[in-house]
Amino acid sequence: MHITDKLVKPITETAYLTAENVKRYRMILRYFYMQHERIKYWLDQDEIFQALQKYEEFSDYTMEQCRQDLNALVNWKNLIPVQDTKKVNSVEAFKNRQFRYQLTEYTVEIERMTIRLENLFIEGTSLEPTLLERIKNEMQKIKTIGGDTLMHVHTWWEDLNNDFKRLNQNYQDYMRSLNSAKAEELMKSAEFLIYKDNLIEYLRSFIKGLQLNVGTIERLIVDTADETLEAIFQKVTDYEMTIPRMDVEVNEKSIYENIKGRWKSIKDWFAGDSTRESEANRLFDMTNENIRKITRYATRISEQFTMGANRKEEYKKIAEIFLKCTDIKEAHKLASMVFGVEKPLHLKGELVRETDSINSGVYEEKGIELSIKPKVRAYGEKVPRSHIRDYSVEKEKAAKEAIEKSEKEKKMIEGYMVDGKISFETLPVIEPEVRNILLRWLSKALEHKDGKGKTEEGHVYQIVNREEKKYCVLNCQDGVFEMPAFVLWFE
């Protein structure tokens, strides 16, 4: 996709569809369009006003409102105004600016689109095998059409593209309606059985048309030489260039690329490429799947009607057979045939029986319970639930030990404090625990700009000589290391 100015610019011509006075604007432009279809392109204000006055909804419509509506449509580029100078007899009449109006090309296409939208659910869609036949007949001319005149080549090209466009749009619309939520609900109802056969026959006839024609079209597309296609593209382009256009600047390269892109769409639809299958094959599979879906729904509905009656007769017959049994053993045998499984499951294992007699039946021995684990990946055995353990005693003991340790460390540190200060230079041989505490306090204070820190008990201290360059030796029980002679002062 190429991003162009036309792609990203706002389409102001559609503003009248959602404007405040949309009723008046749409009536005016629809009247313009109807006259445009009758090859009457220019209308004046009086004609518009008189046409709207015929409707009861516009009985109070005024000429001033009509003029304002026409001006608004001119501003939105829906109408092209041209000053009418034919009947001007004076300067005053010329100043009153009597205009004639014409629809713009954008507005003509917008009105055509709105009409299609209005008739969308009335006209409906269809699958036409005849379109495939026509496309095949046109494709059979592809190797010889290049030698005809420009007009014949252009006519052939337009017929081929129009048939392909109709085929593509019709199948997309029909499949969308067939797979809609409304269609799904209808297929579940009993009324669906009435026209089920006709629908299946209709889809099968379309599949038959696909089988007869798509293969031939695909071979014709693949076998066509690139030189033949280039000659056709160039002739269609040359004919398009000969068509005189008043207000459109024709670009030969754009026309050629557009024609080439249309051919690629046809080729991808019927022949596909190395990366993906053709749209025709996808349509074939999709239609077959819809036939299977319709058959499943119809079968399900039929079973719903017949299930109750059939089961009732079956139960009645079984009850009569049970009444004819002479004893309980014969009834057991009959029950095993009626209610038992057709292919019983045999379990092998070390099963313990109360007797080894071969004449003992299943009703005479006690049953054995076997736990079977399902063969699924997500299965997990249930873990027995356990109550929440009470750790209050352990917590109380741990808290007591922490307090005792803290008090012990506090007394130990106070033993090395002189006048509220701890000087690393004058410390004696200390324990590893004391060393770790002092270094931890020291690192905390060095992280702050003011050299202050706080102990675990909340005491504030400060490094007195943070910029100290003198080094001292700190003796510990597990070793000796050198460090700056810092002094910690406790507030």
Side-chain angles (χ1 to χ4, degrees):
M1 181 178 68
H2 299 287
I3 300 178
T4 60
D5 295 338
K6 290 184 179 180
L7 176 63
V8 298
K9 76 170 186 177
I11 303 178
T12 57
E13 288 85 351
T14 59
Y16 77 94
L17 295 174
T18 56
E20 183 178 356
N21 297 319
V22 60
K23 179 180 177 181
R24 286 151 45 181
Y25 298 142
R26 291 203 62 182
M27 284 293 295
I28 292 172
L29 290 183
R30 181 57 58 86
Y31 183 75
F32 264 100
Y33 178 76
M34 292 169 60
Q35 300 304 315
H36 179 274
E37 293 292 299
R38 298 169 186 170
I39 319 180
K40 185 178 181 181
Y41 302 119
W42 295 95
L43 300 175
D44 57 24
Q45 181 177 337
D46 293 335
E47 290 180 78
I48 300 298
F49 179 73
Q50 292 174 6
L52 295 182
Q53 277 283 312
K54 296 178 183 179
Y55 299 95
E56 184 179 353
E57 293 85 350
F58 291 87
S59 57
D60 55 348
Y61 194 57
T62 63
M63 183 66 76
E64 179 62 23
Q65 288 177 326
C66 183
R67 185 182 63 80
Q68 293 175 359
D69 293 343
L70 291 173
N71 290 338
L73 293 172
V74 170
N75 293 333
W76 289 327
K77 301 178 183 179
N78 298 112
L79 297 175
I80 300 174
V82 175
Q83 193 165 5
D84 189 3
T85 58
K86 289 183 179 179
K87 302 177 182 179
V88 175
N89 298 321
S90 62
V91 177
E92 290 296 328
F94 185 82
K95 289 182 178 179
N96 288 332
R97 299 173 62 84
Q98 296 295 326
F99 288 97
R100 292 189 305 154
Y101 301 91
Q102 182 187 27
L103 284 177
T104 61
E105 292 185 3
Y106 266 48
T107 309
V108 172
E109 294 300 325
I110 292 171
E111 280 299 306
R112 286 174 181 166
M113 179 195 68
T114 56
I115 292 174
R116 286 198 300 270
L117 291 175
E118 291 167 7
N119 299 321
L120 186 62
F121 298 102
I122 299 175
E123 296 177 356
T125 55
S126 61
L127 298 176
E128 300 181 22
T130 54
L131 287 175
L132 290 165
E133 185 72 25
R134 290 172 57 178
I135 292 173
K136 184 185 73 173
N137 294 335
E138 295 294 335
M139 289 297 298
Q140 289 174 344
K141 305 175 185 177
I142 192 170
K143 294 183 179 180
T144 59
I145 195 67
D148 289 352
T149 61
L150 296 181
M151 181 178 294
H152 283 107
V153 175
H154 184 267
T155 303
W156 171 84
W157 176 255
E158 289 297 320
D159 291 342
L160 176 63
N161 277 271
N162 290 334
D163 289 340
F164 173 70
K165 188 184 298 183
R166 282 183 57 194
L167 173 66
N168 197 24
Q169 292 178 353
N170 286 354
Y171 107 80
Q172 290 177 356
D173 294 341
Y174 191 83
M175 287 301 172
R176 186 189 66 243
S177 63
L178 198 61
N179 291 279
S180 63
K182 185 177 180 181
E184 291 281 345
E185 291 296 326
L186 183 60
M187 290 180 187
K188 296 176 183 178
S189 61
E191 292 82 3
F192 178 65
L193 295 176
I194 299 174
Y195 48 88
K196 178 260 298 182
D197 294 334
N198 292 334
L199 180 57
I200 292 177
E201 184 63 28
Y202 181 74
L203 294 176
R204 284 176 177 169
S205 65
F206 180 72
I207 289 178
K208 186 177 180 181
L210 279 175
Q211 292 174 330
L212 291 175
N213 299 297
V214 169
T216 305
I217 297 173
E218 183 180 355
R219 285 193 300 271
L220 291 169
I221 291 174
V222 174
D223 295 341
T224 304
D226 294 338
E227 295 79 7
T228 304
L229 294 174
E230 293 293 335
I232 294 173
F233 297 161
Q234 191 59 51
K235 282 199 172 185
V236 177
T237 305
D238 294 342
Y239 184 83
E240 290 284 344
M241 294 297 296
T242 62
I243 300 175
R245 294 175 173 85
M246 299 295 294
D247 55 348
V248 179
E249 183 179 353
V250 180
N251 187 339
E252 183 177 358
K253 184 179 179 181
S254 299
I255 294 176
Y256 184 85
E257 292 296 330
N258 186 27
I259 295 169
K260 196 172 180 181
R262 287 187 187 180
W263 173 255
K264 188 178 184 305
S265 298
I266 296 174
K267 182 179 178 182
D268 292 344
W269 206 95
F270 288 101
D273 54 26
S274 59
T275 59
R276 61 178 182 178
E277 64 176 346
S278 65
E279 195 71 18
N281 290 336
R282 292 184 65 251
L283 177 57
F284 182 82
D285 296 338
M286 193 184 308
T287 309
N288 277 325
E289 179 59 32
N290 278 307
I291 292 175
R292 287 192 289 269
K293 181 176 70 173
I294 292 169
T295 306
R296 285 198 304 270
Y297 276 117
T299 305
R300 194 176 303 171
I301 294 171
S302 300
E303 288 178 352
Q304 288 177 355
F305 283 102
T306 58
M307 185 181 298
N310 292 343
R311 289 293 176 85
K312 183 178 179 181
E313 294 297 326
E314 289 176 1
Y315 292 151
K316 185 177 179 181
K317 184 66 176 178
I318 291 172
E320 291 176 356
I321 297 174
F322 268 105
L323 286 174
K324 295 179 181 179
C325 294
T326 56
D327 54 14
I328 190 63
K329 289 185 178 181
E330 187 177 352
H332 285 328
K333 294 178 182 179
L334 178 61
S336 65
M337 294 297 297
V338 175
F339 304 110
V341 292
E342 182 180 357
K343 295 181 179 180
L345 179 65
H346 296 276
L347 302 176
K348 294 182 180 180
E350 297 179 358
L351 306 179
V352 180
R353 295 180 58 189
E354 295 180 353
T355 177
D356 295 332
S357 174
I358 60 174
N359 298 321
S360 176
V362 293
Y363 293 101
E364 298 172 0
E365 296 186 20
K366 293 183 179 180
I368 301 174
E369 293 184 2
L370 298 176
S371 299
I372 302 174
K373 298 181 180 179
K375 295 181 179 180
V376 293
R377 294 182 180 179
Y379 173 74
E381 295 185 3
K382 293 184 178 180
V383 180
R385 297 180 180 179
S386 59
H387 62 279
I388 300 174
R389 184 180 172 185
D390 186 8
Y391 292 97
S392 57
V393 178
E394 289 82 352
K395 290 180 180 179
E396 185 177 354
K397 182 179 179 181
K400 186 176 181 181
E401 291 176 354
I403 294 173
E404 292 176 354
K405 183 179 178 182
S406 177
E407 292 291 336
K408 182 179 178 182
E409 291 176 352
K410 181 180 177 182
K411 294 178 180 179
M412 194 182 302
I413 295 297
E414 289 178 352
Y416 300 107
M417 193 179 299
V418 179
D419 297 333
K421 296 179 182 180
I422 296 178
S423 176
F424 286 88
E425 185 179 9
T426 60
L427 286 175
V429 179
I430 61 176
E431 297 82 355
E433 294 82 2
V434 177
R435 181 199 61 211
N436 293 336
I437 295 172
L438 292 176
L439 292 180
R440 185 170 67 248
W441 290 353
L442 186 63
S443 63
K444 285 184 179 180
L446 291 173
E447 290 175 357
H448 297 83
K449 293 182 180 180
D450 56 0
K452 287 187 176 182
K454 185 182 289 186
T455 65
E456 290 77 0
E457 290 78 17
H459 299 296
V460 178
Y461 59 90
Q462 184 178 9
I463 302 176
V464 177
N465 52 345
R466 185 172 181 177
E467 305 298 331
E468 182 63 52
K469 303 296 182 182
K470 181 182 176 182
Y471 277 74
C472 65
V473 176
L474 184 62
N475 298 302
C476 305
Q477 292 180 354
D478 56 351
V480 177
F481 69 96
E482 190 176 4
M483 63 173 289
F486 288 125
V487 176
L488 298 179
W489 173 70
F490 288 83
E491 296 181 2

